[in-house]
Amino acid sequence: MTGVSAILNGIFEPGLFTSEPVRVAVVVGGVVSLVSAVVGVFTVIRGQSFAGHSLGDLGTTGGSGAFLVGANPLWGFVAFALVGAGAMELFEARRPRQRDMATGIVLGAGLGIAALFLYLGTTRSNTTGATITILFGSMFVIRASMIPVFVLLSLSALAVVALLYRPLLLSAVSPDIAHARGVPVRTVGILYLLALAVAVSLSCVTIGAVLSTAVLIGPAAAALRLTKRPGLAITWAALIAVAVTWLGILLAYDSYYWPPARRGWPVSFFVVALVFVVYLLADLASRRKARRQSAHAVARREDRVGLPGDSDRTGPAGLGAR
Amino acid sequence: MTSPDRFDARPEVLRLEGVSLWLSGREILHDVGFSLRAGELTGLIGSNGAGKTTIFRVILGLETPSSGRVLFAGHPRPHRNRLIGYVPQSIGLDPDVPLRARDLVALGIDGDRFGIPLPSRGRRRLVDDMLEAVDAQAFADTRVGKLSGGELQRSLIAHALISQPRLLLLDEPLASLDIRSEQEVVGLLARIAREQQIAVLISAHEMNPLLPVMDRVVYVASGRAASGSTEEVVREDVLSALYGHHVDVLHLQDRILVVAGKDEGHHLELEREQHALPPRGLG
């Protein structure tokens, strides 16, 4: 044992595994990232990235409001994201174009109030620390007593997505097919938006309101480059999200003696930077695979020129064309 | 329209009775009535905006008629309807969406159910059989967003058929297909109708590709419909009454041209270069 810990201490800063803030960050950060990534896969499939980002920004209003009245920002984030989701749904017509407009209107109103709250908070308490925490988050300031709350909220968001798995996929293929099959398309949409609101507000606290989009969309987008199967995409996204979060915590802890300030770099920066790197790598891998496959396809086609089916490829734009 | 006796032996799957639909002050459908029978392929023919898609939406329960009735085998439409397979004209899937053709087909089994499906051998075999039935094995593992028009069409048909519906609705399945895919899809649909004894309703703005396989036609113009065999419906007197002004029906070898002048704009049923039509029941 001592040998192992000596090796670990050689690689990592001593005290990494005994520090309570680190332990809390590992648990809460891991769970929240996992849920964000799973929910995020459907956000990407449904084309709701803008809504996901806006819910994070709206959470800022709640987070800053909660700070102003001295409550735990988490509740502010959750409450305002849920209210925001409800408002978006109320404004929303069924067409996606109008959906973006509804999101934009709610977002604008919410951010105006957030600006006021942040201003009042800063001028009253004479500190910019709260603003930084709300906008950019920090896993290291989460209290251990909040772990059950984070886990419970995460599980509820995860349960909603698991329950709606098939109807969400079917409505993504075609809302009309789903509707004709008896799927309550609108209810499914509302429930999903609420799960999204919860997931986003959780990552607002761990990663920050401004950066929550990165953990929502990034791992999902990378996973979609890596696989064409829905179940695998979700698994990949979850693995990527947890891995980058834990690695980010490690680097942040390690960065304590880094220049310029020698008081550590923010963990959110590391996580988001790693998400970006992973996406680039996944994109590179998928491009390579596509090149290999098209080379194979050309070779195959040369073997069987003129067989039926090939003409499809050269036909007019498919029905999928928008 | 009276229908020939040979149709009446087949069980009726769907009947529309005097269906009218008003949407925001406009009458979209006026007194539309027809019936579909098992094993028959029916063409829902009309120009764009005539009301074809609205008729589909009424059948699917996406619109409620202002008056009239829609009956399934003599009963009102059930809420959770697996009796109808539906193939929409277009689906707007991004190429990145992680769904293969076989996942799309599997969603046809129970995509309306809650929870995560457990993979099983029976499920997989069902999907494989369906892919084979529409000749889609070659692209079973391709992302849906990357399929060609004909491949997507066949995948959607498999998706619609796997829940063993009594009625299959296809909204403009031949639009934007090249001629070879068009003939393949038409042949496939004719085969499905006869072999599985399903009522198939295909909407099209061009009836000629369907002529060799169509048992019955429902011709739609300005929200009104006339139905029966091609010989009964595609006639100058019937169509002129439907359009409300004189219409010319020209026969060119085994093709039909409908020239509906004035109000409708010059609507020509013949929109493409003539091509050899496949024999009845190709596939």
Side-chain angles (χ1 to χ4, degrees), chain A residues 123-137:
Chain A
T123 45
R124 189 188 293 178
S125 63
N126 201 17
T127 168
T128 53
T131 310
I132 294 292
T133 305
I134 284 162
L135 291 181
F136 301 103

Side-chain angles (χ1 to χ4, degrees), chain A:
Chain A
M1 257 337 261
T2 47
V4 172
S5 64
I7 294 168
L8 287 177
N9 282 341
I11 304 170
F12 308 125
E13 286 298 322
L16 175 67
F17 299 104
T18 50
S19 146
E20 170 149 312
V22 171
R23 281 211 306 261
V24 175
V26 165
V27 174
V28 172
V31 170
V32 169
S33 303
L34 185 143
V35 172
S36 258
V38 171
V39 172
V41 170
F42 289 95
T43 310
V44 174
I45 291 177
R46 290 168 63 82
Q48 287 188 309
S49 302
F50 182 45
H53 178 80
S54 303
L55 288 172
D57 285 352
L58 281 172
T60 313
T61 313
S64 53
F67 174 76
L68 199 61
V69 299
N72 189 317
L74 173 66
W75 300 118
F77 277 117
V78 173
F80 269 68
L82 287 176
V83 168
M88 281 176 201
E89 174 55 37
L90 279 182
F91 283 131
E92 178 188 326
R94 253 191 277 157
R95 301 281 160 239
R97 210 173 299 156
Q98 287 166 329
R99 183 167 77 189
D100 271 3
M101 198 177 69
T103 307
I105 291 168
V106 176
L107 171 65
L111 279 182
I113 301 171
L116 174 70
F117 285 171
L118 285 175
Y119 174 78
L120 291 178
T122 310
T123 45
R124 189 188 293 178
S125 63
N126 201 17
T127 168
T128 53
T131 310
I132 294 292
T133 305
I134 284 162
L135 291 181
F136 301 103
S138 181
M139 285 179 224
F140 292 136
V141 299
I142 296 166
R143 270 176 288 141
S145 60
M146 290 297 283
I147 289 180
V149 176
F150 277 93
V151 172
L152 215 64
L153 284 172
S154 298
L155 286 180
S156 61
L158 213 51
V160 169
V161 171
L163 187 73
L164 301 182
Y165 181 80
R166 280 178 280 188
L168 280 173
L169 285 177
L170 190 60
S171 334
V173 170
S174 159
D176 279 348
I177 292 183
H179 202 151
R181 281 290 293 265
V183 171
V185 175
R186 183 147 188 222
T187 311
V188 166
I190 295 172
L191 285 176
Y192 176 72
L193 206 56
L194 294 179
L196 177 62
V198 169
V200 166
S201 33
L202 291 175
S203 60
C204 280
V205 179
T206 58
I207 285 288
V210 174
L211 304 176
S212 63
T213 311
V215 284
L216 182 73
I217 304 302
L224 297 194
R225 313 296 297 147
L226 294 173
T227 176
K228 52 189 178 185
R229 303 170 62 164
L232 270 183
I234 290 166
T235 312
W236 267 113
L239 286 176
I240 291 169
V242 173
V244 295
T245 303
W246 285 349
L247 197 57
I249 291 170
L250 197 114
L251 287 170
Y253 192 82
D254 229 39
S255 71
Y256 195 73
Y257 297 108
W258 291 13
R262 293 184 190 282
R263 53 187 179 84
W265 291 28
V267 60
S268 305
F269 160 75
F270 286 112
V271 173
V272 171
L274 286 168
V275 166
F276 188 61
V277 169
V278 169
Y279 176 78
L280 289 182
L281 290 176
D283 192 51
L284 201 70
S286 84
R287 276 166 203 274
R288 281 195 152 185
K289 199 172 157 196
R291 257 206 306 277
R292 265 206 314 279
Q293 274 174 352
S294 65
H296 276 287
V298 167
R300 266 210 321 274
R301 193 152 301 178
E302 279 165 358
D303 288 345
R304 49 167 198 130
V305 181
L307 284 182
D310 285 1
S311 64
D312 280 353
R313 293 285 184 195
T314 52
L319 289 184
R322 270 137 286 159

Side-chain angles (χ1 to χ4, degrees), chain B residues 25-164:
Chain B
R26 273 185 62 216
E27 190 174 36
I28 311 291
L29 297 178
H30 176 80
D31 194 21
V32 171
F34 59 85
S35 66
L36 304 175
R37 293 174 185 278
E40 276 182 19
L41 195 145
T42 306
L44 182 65
I45 310 296
S47 55
N48 293 330
K52 301 188 300 282
T53 302
T54 312
I55 290 176
F56 271 12
R57 293 182 62 82
V58 166
I59 296 173
L60 289 168
L62 302 176
E63 304 283 357
T64 310
S66 313
S67 62
R69 297 198 297 170
V70 181
L71 297 172
F72 290 84
H75 302 285
R77 181 182 193 280
H79 166 65
R80 188 169 278 253
N81 203 335
R82 286 162 190 240
L83 299 177
I84 308 180
Y86 172 51
V87 177
Q89 186 177 353
S90 63
I91 59 171
L93 268 190
D94 198 84
D96 275 347
V97 167
L99 275 182
R100 299 162 298 172
R102 69 164 63 251
D103 298 316
L104 176 63
V105 176
L107 274 178
I109 303 175
D110 50 12
D112 51 342
R113 294 261 176 88
F114 293 115
I116 299 170
L118 293 174
S120 75
R121 202 171 294 167
R123 214 181 143 78
R124 197 184 156 84
R125 192 177 307 134
L126 199 61
V127 171
D128 280 336
D129 288 350
M130 206 64 240
L131 287 164
E132 196 185 330
V134 301
D135 196 22
Q137 301 107 309
F139 49 86
D141 293 311
T142 304
R143 279 183 207 241
V144 173
K146 289 185 175 166
L147 297 175
S148 73
E151 290 168 346
L152 179 62
Q153 200 56 247
R154 275 184 286 182
S155 308
L156 284 170
I157 290 169
H159 164 92
L161 280 178
I162 202 166
S163 59
Q164 298 184 309

Side-chain angles (χ1 to χ4, degrees), chain B residues 188-242:
Chain B
L188 174 68
L189 291 171
R191 199 181 71 201
I192 287 166
R194 308 209 196 309
E195 287 178 1
Q196 307 195 20
Q197 285 298 300
I198 292 174
V200 176
L201 182 65
I202 302 174
S203 79
H205 56 271
E206 226 270 341
M207 80 174 108
N208 284 305
L210 294 173
L211 279 180
V213 293
M214 206 158 57
D215 297 297
R216 199 186 270 266
V217 62
V218 177
Y219 204 104
V220 195
S222 327
R224 296 152 190 271
S227 71
S229 68
T230 317
E231 297 76 33
E232 288 170 333
V233 174
V234 189
R235 290 173 12 184
E236 298 198 347
D237 54 339
V238 175
L239 293 190
S240 294
L242 200 61

